């Protein structure tokens, strides 16, 4: 009998693509809408997991487009401590679609939040980058000058990029009641003070995420028509939830929303979904550390191997095996130290 499933490729059948296969044999990557070459200007942004892709591209000599570098006299360890070189610009982790859209609008002067600076006992803090400057800025003038430079770097990063790799991480976010300005962390966790009268919890749904990213792409393409977008969903579970439910079910809910939104967004021209989330999830305990949250080196390696196979146009001069081994030795430490969201978990024990 003839039917639509009779001659489908093996990749579409569980029995042939998944059953009795080792996790290192499973390859769920669909043919990419575009590929990345050595001259491609790649901008990376998103949640903690996006840092792996950023450092991987830099390690292999691909065009990770950095628009906000550290001063040449700043040594490597200090530059990292002040969040230089982590992403294309010094915006820190961008956990939500709303945060991404508002970053672009703030950089362009279209959106100017009323709550735009926090004064602490030890310095001045950026509400939208509360951990970017350890100890805060020494003066309001220093903060304003740094933000001016940062916004210029953001405009250049998105405005001149060929490919933006954006990792969707969370659906929960805290916002100012006055104008809807979204923070990367709840006020009071890393800086500022929480006030229930001024701050509210937002829970983004599929339609919200799709609308945010679509609007972002439309606005950026007005100045950069060639921009392509590669979406991933972070496989890292929530560190904590403000919802009245177990953190596991809250994680499942959030990742389901982000995954559906990412799929809907691939309907846009020049938007592609890379299944980092699925690659890690299928590995189960083998790809996670003992905390069941941190992706271990084996999990990162599998994601990067498939990313290299499908997304990169040519091999680099550096030996892939040797470069990847060196990258992976440092990979887990990078995620652990740069993941601001972990502060939500630690805050409960203080």
């Amino acid at each position: 009998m003839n039917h639509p499933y009779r001659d489908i490729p093996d990749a579409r059948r569980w029995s042939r693509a998944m059953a009795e296969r080792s996790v290192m044999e499973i390859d769920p990557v669909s043919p990419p809408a575009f590929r990345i070459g050595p001259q491609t200007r790649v901008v990376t942004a998103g949640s903690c997991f996006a840092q792996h892709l950023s450092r991987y591209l830099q390690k292999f000599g691909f065009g990770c487009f950095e628009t906000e570098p550290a001063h040449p006299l700043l040594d490597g360890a200090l530059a990292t401590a002040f969040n230089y070189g982590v992403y294309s610009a010094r915006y820190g982790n961008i956990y939500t679609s709303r945060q991404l859209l508002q970053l672009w609008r703030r950089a362009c002067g279209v959106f100017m939040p009323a709550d735009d600076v926090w004064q602490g006992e030890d310095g001045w803090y950026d509400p939208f980058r509360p951990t970017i400057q350890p100890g805060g800025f020494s003066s309001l003038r220093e903060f304003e000058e740094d933000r001016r430079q940062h916004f210029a770097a953001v405009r250049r990063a998105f405005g001149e990029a060929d490919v933006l790799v954006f990792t969707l991480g969370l659906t929960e976010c805290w916002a100012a009641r006055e104008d809807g300005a979204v923070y990367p962390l709840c006020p009071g966790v890393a800086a500022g003070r929480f006030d229930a009268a001024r701050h509210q919890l937002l829970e983004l749904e599929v339609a919200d995420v799709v609308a945010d990213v679509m609007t972002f792409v439309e606005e950026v393409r007005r100045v950069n028509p060639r921009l392509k977008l590669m979406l991933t969903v972070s496989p890292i579970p929530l560190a904590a939830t403000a919802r009245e439910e177990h953190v596991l079910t809250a994680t499942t809910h959030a990742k389901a929303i982000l995954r559906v939104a990412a799929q809907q967004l691939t309907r846009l021209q020049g938007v592609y979904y890379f299944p980092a989330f699925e690659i890690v999830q299928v590995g189960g305990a083998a790809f996670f550390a003992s905390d069941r949250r941190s992706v271990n080196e084996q999990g990162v390696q599998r994601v990067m191997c498939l990313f290299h196979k499908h997304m990169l146009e040519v091999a680099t001069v550096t030996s892939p095996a040797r470069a990847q081994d060196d990258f992976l030795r440092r990979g887990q430490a990078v995620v652990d130290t740069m993941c601001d969201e972990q502060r939500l978990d630690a805050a409960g024990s203080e």
Side-chain angles (χ1 to χ4, degrees), residues 231-253:
L231 292 171
T232 63
V233 172
S234 172
I236 299 175
L238 276 64
T241 179
R243 295 167 59 94
E244 294 185 0
E245 63 176 302
H246 195 283
V247 68
L248 177 59
T249 58
T251 292
T252 304
H253 182 208

Side-chain angles (χ1 to χ4, degrees), residues 44-317:
T44 57
S47 70
C48 310
F49 195 77
Q51 294 170 33
H52 280 311
L53 290 173
S54 176
R55 292 182 181 274
Y56 176 86
L57 287 168
Q58 292 178 48
K59 188 67 181 179
F60 278 77
F62 279 74
C64 205
F65 186 39
E66 188 175 2
T67 60
E68 197 170 5
H71 192 281
L73 296 180
L74 205 62
D75 68 58
L78 196 56
T80 300
F82 280 78
N83 292 275
Y84 287 101
V86 178
Y87 294 112
S88 299
R90 195 169 170 239
Y91 34 66
N93 294 323
I94 300 175
Y95 291 107
T96 64
S97 57
R98 188 67 47 84
Q99 191 184 347
L100 176 68
L101 175 59
Q102 290 187 359
L103 170 62
W104 172 251
R105 289 181 167 178
R106 288 190 300 113
C108 294
V110 175
F111 178 44
M112 292 171 280
D115 184 23
D116 69 343
V117 63
W118 292 336
Q119 184 176 11
E121 295 180 359
D122 51 353
W124 298 80
Y125 291 85
D126 188 337
F128 308 102
R129 300 182 298 160
T131 65
I132 209 74
Q133 187 87 357
F137 294 94
S138 60
S139 67
L140 182 59
R141 174 67 180 274
E142 182 190 15
F143 162 76
E144 290 173 341
E145 286 299 310
D146 183 88
R147 183 175 60 182
R148 179 187 60 78
Q149 175 180 288
H150 171 61
F151 281 168
V154 170
R155 292 194 300 271
R156 186 178 175 215
F158 294 150
E160 298 181 19
D162 297 314
V163 175
L164 168 61
V165 181
F166 181 59
T167 300
L168 295 158
L170 300 176
T171 55
E172 291 183 25
C173 54
W174 290 88
R177 292 184 184 274
E178 181 177 358
D179 54 16
V182 168
Y183 309 105
L185 289 174
C186 179
V189 173
R193 300 181 65 179
F194 177 74
D195 182 349
R198 298 175 55 228
H199 304 130
Q200 63 178 334
L201 176 67
L202 298 184
E203 299 179 55
L204 303 178
E205 299 294 342
V206 172
D208 299 315
V209 177
V210 171
D212 287 342
V213 177
M214 284 184 64
T215 302
F216 169 82
V217 171
E218 290 170 0
E219 292 185 5
V220 174
R221 282 181 176 170
R222 289 172 193 165
V223 297
N224 181 8
R226 70 177 179 277
L227 180 73
K228 296 180 178 64
L229 178 64
M230 189 184 94
L231 292 171
T232 63
V233 172
S234 172
I236 299 175
L238 276 64
T241 179
R243 295 167 59 94
E244 294 185 0
E245 63 176 302
H246 195 283
V247 68
L248 177 59
T249 58
T251 292
T252 304
H253 182 208
K255 301 303 180 181
I257 288 173
L258 296 175
R259 182 62 186 89
V260 172
Q263 191 66 34
Q264 291 189 12
L265 286 163
T266 60
R267 298 170 185 169
L268 295 176
Q269 184 177 4
V271 178
Y272 173 73
Y273 173 74
F274 181 81
F277 176 82
E278 288 84 350
I279 294 166
V280 173
Q281 292 299 314
V282 77
F287 283 178
F288 283 94
S290 59
D291 64 0
R292 294 190 174 92
R293 184 171 189 271
S294 304
V295 180
N296 64 24
E297 292 184 2
Q298 186 178 7
V300 173
Q301 182 177 20
R302 185 56 183 160
V303 172
M304 297 310 166
C305 282
L306 292 177
F307 182 85
H308 188 283
K309 173 183 176 182
H310 293 280
M311 297 305 304
L312 303 187
E313 281 185 350
V314 295
T316 59
V317 176

